[in-house]
């Protein structure tokens, strides 16, 4: 059995600047905060980020000035407001943005996961989303075509095959077999489309435990290159069945993100000023705060 458990710092060292990184999660749920913080510490620049629904993780990378291209299906910080760093970069045109729907992003990942170069869909037809894509920087990734059998019109989407796919999961074994409890969104397709797959796990369990319920394995170990073990690794965003989001910290982040100068202040204190994720958690209140937000076993949040 291969033990794929590695530290976040050694994993991020292998991700080059200029890479296309796909992020799992959804807005303020299951964001890969552990890896995003380390990408910022190691200053991996000129990144392409793709994500079905962007959230805190993407906003942090854009706020740190590390992203040059963003392929997205919408997103926000949910009840806490818009992704201010992303919106500001869009307005200043310092970021190349390609705006899809979350469903069409999922289909692009699905094509990559299936080993196809493109996939036909109908959901974008007669939409302003498609018109903007055709008129913008993504024009080379969308084409209209007719079915050779029925003559029906389709939109052809180029497959998304990220250099690295990052997904936060509740449980993994040392070989990389993973479970995702609760909503999965497009995370399974995204992971399987990646040339490299790296997971961040709340808990590492023996393979025998995974084998008891094989139908719950969402990402199989043979697709996974590395497993990063980090309890509360998505904090301050939520992980279903484990802990809720930290509303106080998210409000504080949004207040910083509204002003470009204060974004740097936030990054200096909570990212660059921390040696690792454990020190970051200590600054957010440590174990006492984590326990306050521990999930209810019935509701999952």
């Amino acid at each position: 059995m291969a033990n794929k458990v590695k530290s976040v710092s050694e994993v991020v060292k292998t991700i080059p600047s200029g890479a296309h990184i796909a992020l799992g999660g959804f807005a303020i749920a299951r964001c890969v905060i552990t890896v995003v913080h380390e990408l910022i510490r190691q200053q991996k620049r000129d990144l392409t980020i793709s994500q079905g629904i962007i959230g805190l993780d993407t906003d942090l990378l854009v706020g740190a000035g590390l992203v040059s291209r963003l392929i997205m299906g919408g997103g926000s910080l949910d009840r806490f407001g818009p992704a201010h760093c992303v919106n500001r970069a869009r307005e200043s045109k310092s970021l190349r943005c390609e705006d899809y729907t979350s469903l069409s992003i999922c289909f692009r990942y699905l094509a990559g996961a299936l080993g196809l170069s493109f996939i036909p869909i109908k959901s974008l037809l007669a939409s302003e989303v498609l018109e903007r894509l055709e008129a913008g920087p993504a024009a080379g990734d969308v084409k209209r075509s007719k079915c050779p059998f029925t003559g029906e019109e389709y939109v052809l989407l180029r497959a998304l095959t990220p250099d690295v796919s990052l997904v936060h999961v509740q449980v993994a074994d040392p070989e990389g077999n993973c479970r995702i409890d609760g909503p999965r969104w497009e995370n399974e397709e995204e992971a399987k489309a990646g040339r490299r797959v790296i997971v961040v796990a709340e808990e590492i369990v023996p393979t025998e435990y995974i084998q008891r319920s094989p139908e719950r394995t969402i990402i199989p170990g043979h697709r996974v290159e590395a497993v990063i073990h980090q309890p509360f690794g998505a904090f301050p965003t939520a992980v279903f069945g484990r802990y809720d989001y930290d509303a106080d910290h998210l409000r504080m982040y949004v207040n910083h993100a509204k002003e470009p100068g204060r974004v740097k202040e936030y990054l200096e204190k909570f990212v660059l000023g921390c040696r690792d994720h454990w020190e970051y958690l200590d600054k957010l209140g440590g174990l006492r705060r984590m326990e306050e937000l521990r999930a209810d076993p019935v509701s999952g949040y």
Side-chain angles (χ1 to χ4, degrees):
M1 297 191 304
N3 188 331
K4 300 178 182 178
V5 179
K6 298 180 180 179
S7 72
V8 64
S9 60
E10 66 179 316
V11 169
V12 171
K13 282 178 184 176
T14 70
I15 301 175
S17 291
H20 172 187
I21 300 175
L23 302 179
F26 186 104
I28 54 171
R30 242 181 347 93
C31 294
V32 287
I33 300 299
T34 303
V35 182
V36 163
H37 280 193
E38 190 62 27
L39 287 165
I40 295 171
R41 290 189 197 101
Q42 295 191 24
Q43 288 292 287
K44 302 293 183 172
R45 297 185 175 277
D46 192 30
L47 299 175
T48 293
I49 299 296
S50 63
Q51 194 169 24
I53 294 292
I54 68 164
L56 178 63
D57 40 11
T58 303
D59 206 52
L60 283 166
L61 288 170
V62 172
L66 303 183
V67 182
S68 59
R69 182 186 179 196
L70 181 57
I71 305 167
M72 58 184 276
S76 69
L77 300 186
D78 207 276
R79 58 179 285 199
F80 301 98
H84 289 288
C85 294
V86 171
N87 288 350
R88 192 161 46 244
R90 293 168 67 99
E91 291 166 5
S92 67
K93 300 192 185 308
S94 62
L95 178 65
R96 171 181 165 180
C97 280
E98 300 170 20
D99 295 289
Y100 292 79
T101 62
S102 56
L103 178 61
S104 55
I105 290 285
C106 182
F107 274 120
R108 292 194 67 188
Y109 285 138
L110 177 60
L114 293 171
L116 303 174
S117 59
F118 72 93
I119 194 166
I121 69 168
K122 283 193 169 186
S123 69
L124 290 180
L125 287 173
S127 71
E128 292 183 2
V129 174
L130 177 57
E131 292 172 2
R132 288 195 295 268
L133 288 167
E134 291 173 321
D141 294 328
V142 294
K143 301 289 182 184
R144 296 181 192 242
S145 184
K146 292 188 182 296
C147 173
F149 303 106
T150 66
E152 295 174 272
E153 187 174 9
Y154 283 89
V155 178
L156 310 184
L157 300 176
R158 187 192 298 272
L160 272 177
T161 52
D163 297 314
V164 184
S165 288
L166 301 170
V167 183
H168 191 99
V169 303
Q170 283 91 344
V171 173
D173 71 6
E175 297 179 51
N177 297 295
C178 306
R179 290 180 182 175
I180 301 176
D181 298 324
R184 298 203 298 264
W185 308 295
E186 80 297 333
N187 292 184
E188 179 179 359
E189 291 81 7
E190 171 231 314
K192 292 175 180 177
R195 295 184 176 93
R196 302 170 61 194
V197 182
I198 295 163
V199 299
V200 183
E202 290 286 328
E203 183 179 3
I204 302 292
V205 299
T207 299
E208 291 78 6
Y209 177 81
I210 296 288
Q211 290 172 337
R212 291 177 195 168
S213 305
E215 74 282 358
R216 295 180 62 189
T217 300
I218 303 303
I219 306 171
H222 73 273
R223 303 295 295 268
V224 176
E225 177 182 307
V227 179
I228 298 165
H229 180 210
Q230 182 58 67
F232 299 99
F235 209 77
T237 67
V239 174
F240 178 80
R242 299 291 170 144
Y243 48 87
D244 211 337
Y245 55 73
D246 187 333
D248 292 341
H249 188 83
L250 287 168
R251 289 190 195 99
M252 186 262 288
Y253 170 77
V254 168
N255 287 333
H256 281 76
K258 287 177 181 177
E259 304 174 34
R262 298 199 70 203
V263 174
K264 183 177 180 181
E265 178 186 320
Y266 177 91
L267 293 173
E268 288 288 346
K269 180 176 182 179
F270 293 104
V271 183
L272 299 171
C274 298
R275 286 170 299 182
D276 54 27
H277 198 75
W278 291 113
E279 187 172 332
Y280 163 73
L281 291 175
D282 285 341
K283 287 188 176 182
L284 267 63
L287 183 59
R288 183 186 297 273
R289 183 57 173 157
M290 305 303 116
E291 284 298 327
E292 290 172 351
L293 295 169
R294 181 98 48 188
D296 176 84
V298 176
S299 67
Y301 287 107

